[in-house]
Amino acid sequence: MKILVVEDDEANAEILARILCNQNYTVEVAKDGEVAWELIIVYDYDLLLIDITLPHLDGISLCRRIRTQSYKMPILMVTGRGSGHDQAIGLDAGADAYMVKPLDHEVLIAGIRALLRRKGTAFQSVLEWGSLRFDLASREVTYAGQPLCLSPKEFSILEFFLRNGRRVFTYSVILDQLWAYEETPGEDAVRTHIKGLRQKFRRVGAPTDLIETVYGLGYRLKPLEAIADSISTDKFTSYQATQPIQQQTLSALSKVWDRFKTGVDEQVKILEQASAALMQQMLSPDIQQQASQEAHTLSGSLATFGLPEGSRIAEKIEQLLRVNESLKSDQTLCLYELVTALRQEIDRAHSGIGEGFVYQTV
């Protein structure tokens, strides 16, 4: 299944993409509303995950445009602002569900599955074709009780065919559904992965042409009546790709943190500069606005990195800086204390996350 993530914060977008890819979704990312719209009119997506605050075309306007043009795919709206009024605006614009940052990863995945079920997208937790059993929740694949060890792309290809029964799919359709547009592989990529699947079928006694070639057209699942299938009642044996799903996600988040921690440092420095300027009564409206925006971005990204306390501190900083009038003396001291606490959280993350990411649920 193909999901478009529309998020302008690069770190947040990459984290979301990795989390969804670890669930074997095909994920594409757009960094502003206009780019997202251009992708939506060209490619078919099973679900859209849209942040409200976007450049060029905000999430609410994008959602309205999508519904005005009669696109029916589920839309999950995401924002750092959780007021009932904001939620009402998003739902009125055509969103099917609304989540407030920081996002809990398990709740996010469960919400996506619920939307796919609600909108009639064929979503089953277990798919079967003869003796082939495919458990999406645990990522366990077996044939007659024997585990099949699949790569993420092989997993996605097999799921795609199982969801579509006897339909024949051309190379171009398979590429469009299972590869992101920026990857742009050729037909050889499809052939290579189908060949890999067939080799693994052979190892567990499954027909090598379980996914059969329809010459001149493409591929399909071999009809059940044509399969000499000996159904085994052996105890279900599980397989999980190299390591538990949660551990894969944590490993991915750690790698993303290593890439973006320098940028996070720079964002905190902007907040420190704003706090210092305020202490000297030299905080300009432009610097205040920039610091407020950086705090807003940090509030979302730090939670996604597994730093809920840092996220809460950043949110409080944003609330202080969002006021239009000059900050009072007690607010000045409060801002200084919050920025100092945030710096301590980031320093702790530098010494902990890079060496062994430990995700804290919120």
Side-chain angles (χ1 to χ4, degrees), residues 58-69 89 92-94:
D58 65 84
I60 297 295
S61 300
L62 173 62
C63 191
R64 289 196 183 107
R65 183 182 294 182
I66 291 166
R67 295 311 189 208
T68 299
Q69 296 300 315
I89 292 174
D92 284 343

Side-chain angles (χ1 to χ4, degrees), residues 90-102:
L91 295 172
D92 284 343
D96 298 281
Y98 193 102
M99 285 192 180
V100 179
K101 297 177 182 177

Side-chain angles (χ1 to χ4, degrees), residues 207-362:
T208 56
D209 60 347
L210 192 60
I211 296 178
E212 65 177 1
T213 302
V214 181
Y215 291 99
L217 294 176
Y219 297 99
R220 69 172 179 179
L221 278 177
K222 189 170 186 175
L224 286 174
E225 58 267 22
I227 299 176
D229 222 349
S230 57
I231 300 178
S232 171
T233 58
D234 292 345
K235 185 179 179 181
F236 180 84
T237 306
S238 69
Y239 164 73
Q240 286 184 288
T242 67
Q243 54 183 326
I245 296 173
Q246 184 183 28
Q247 186 57 43
Q248 292 180 36
T249 301
L250 299 184
S251 176
L253 293 179
S254 179
K255 292 176 182 177
V256 177
W257 173 259
D258 287 339
R259 285 187 54 208
F260 288 98
K261 60 185 180 183
T262 301
V264 171
D265 266 337
E266 293 300 319
Q267 290 176 299
V268 177
K269 284 180 182 178
I270 292 173
L271 299 182
E272 290 171 332
Q273 291 167 1
S275 176
L278 181 60
M279 295 287 283
Q280 300 171 12
Q281 298 184 341
M282 296 176 61
L283 181 64
S284 69
D286 289 343
I287 294 176
Q288 183 172 339
Q289 182 178 4
Q290 181 188 6
S292 175
Q293 181 57 49
E294 298 296 352
H296 175 77
T297 302
L298 283 168
S299 176
S301 61
L302 291 179
T304 314
F305 279 125
L307 298 169
E309 181 59 26
S311 173
R312 282 189 279 267
I313 294 171
E315 184 178 4
K316 291 179 180 178
I317 293 172
E318 181 195 1
Q319 292 170 353
L320 271 178
L321 292 170
R322 199 187 297 168
V323 298
N324 295 323
E325 65 274 7
S326 299
L327 295 176
K328 300 174 183 177
S329 59
D330 60 331
Q331 293 173 316
T332 299
L333 179 59
C334 181
L335 178 63
Y336 172 79
E337 291 174 345
L338 287 170
V339 172
T340 301
L342 181 60
R343 169 55 71 189
Q344 291 172 349
E345 282 292 304
I346 300 304
D347 289 344
R348 183 186 67 81
H350 286 330
S351 61
I353 293 182
E355 299 172 3
F357 191 97
V358 180
Y359 182 73
Q360 306 170 41
T361 56
V362 292

Side-chain angles (χ1 to χ4, degrees), residues 18-25 109 113 136-137 139 245:
R18 291 197 181 219
I19 291 168
L20 296 174
C21 285
N22 280 341
Q23 297 294 319
N24 294 295
Y25 294 111
I109 295 302
R113 288 175 177 161
L136 285 138
R139 297 171 69 184
I245 296 173

